[in-house]
Amino acid sequence: RLLTMAEWLEGGVGYTTAIRMVEGSGARVRQHAAMIEHELQRELAARHAGVFSRVVAAPDLGTATAAAVQAHGFGDLRTNLAIHGWTDLEARLALDGGPQREALLQSTRLGANVMIAACEPDAWDRLSRVASEDRSITVLWIDDHSGSIMTLLAWLTTRHPHWAGAAVKVLVPDSPGEADRIRALLDDARIDCTIDRTTGGLGAALHALEAARLAFGPLGLGQGHPRGP
């Protein structure tokens, strides 16, 4: 699912690398990593042709993430988006998420944008039964760089055949002049979308997200705990 989402965002004009982390060091770990990379290459060739593979062996997840983000790319082309996936994000980050938190922080410290993909199996199955022209993408706007990049990612997704014709909707706070200001920002960026005002605070905005097939929302990390909707 992470690779499928990466392919949506890539839209045929970027490139994606699937990275597996192997914890440890020494000759046995390197041999194990080589075996995993061979298996990963075979799986990608069968299911995600065109996706590159890389296996990184390191003492811990944070070190492996830092190595992967810095080494990935060629020439001046470097990692600009790191996609992570955890099924229970809040519990993992808040309770036992030291390694996961460090992986996120290393990605951002090294200049990569970070996206965390969350998808329940039944939601994925429902999505597969919806035609591309009937799909919708909703962005929960936040007035900083996250809002801009989420909207850009939503628009980039529509270049993929699975999302061709999908409508992009941006939910903004219902405050005086806010919708017009954001509309001007997105028009300058030539992003085709509609803007909906939300009233009733965060609860109403989250309720509005229920109609979306794909939703983008902001997430922050404060003192190691996830913050945001």
Side-chain angles (χ1 to χ4, degrees), residues 7-107:
E7 289 172 339
W8 293 344
L9 297 169
E10 178 190 315
V13 297
Y15 79 99
T16 299
T17 300
I19 298 176
R20 288 282 305 273
M21 311 292 191
V22 178
E23 187 172 337
S25 60
R28 288 188 178 181
V29 170
R30 290 194 297 271
Q31 292 174 357
H32 183 49
M35 181 183 67
I36 290 177
E37 182 148 19
H38 177 72
E39 295 174 352
L40 181 59
Q41 289 172 347
R42 184 172 56 187
E43 180 181 352
L44 293 175
R47 302 182 60 183
H48 296 276
V51 174
F52 297 94
S53 65
R54 181 70 55 84
V55 174
V56 177
D60 54 74
L61 183 60
T63 303
T65 302
V69 171
Q70 292 180 92
H72 180 232
F74 53 89
D76 292 333
L77 187 61
R78 298 298 183 190
T79 301
N80 49 32
L81 179 64
I83 306 179
H84 301 255
W86 294 305
T87 54
D88 190 348
L89 174 67
E90 186 171 2
R92 293 227 179 191
L93 289 178
L95 300 179
D96 63 348
Q100 286 84 359
R101 287 197 301 269
E102 188 62 24
L104 293 178
L105 293 173
Q106 288 288 4
S107 297

Side-chain angles (χ1 to χ4, degrees), residues 124-144:
W124 191 267
D125 292 340
R126 291 197 306 272
L127 177 63
S128 66
R129 297 191 292 269
V130 178
S132 62
E133 61 272 16
D134 295 327
R135 296 184 177 190
S136 58
I137 305 173
T138 301
V139 177
L140 183 57
W141 179 270
I142 182 172
D143 200 20
D144 62 11

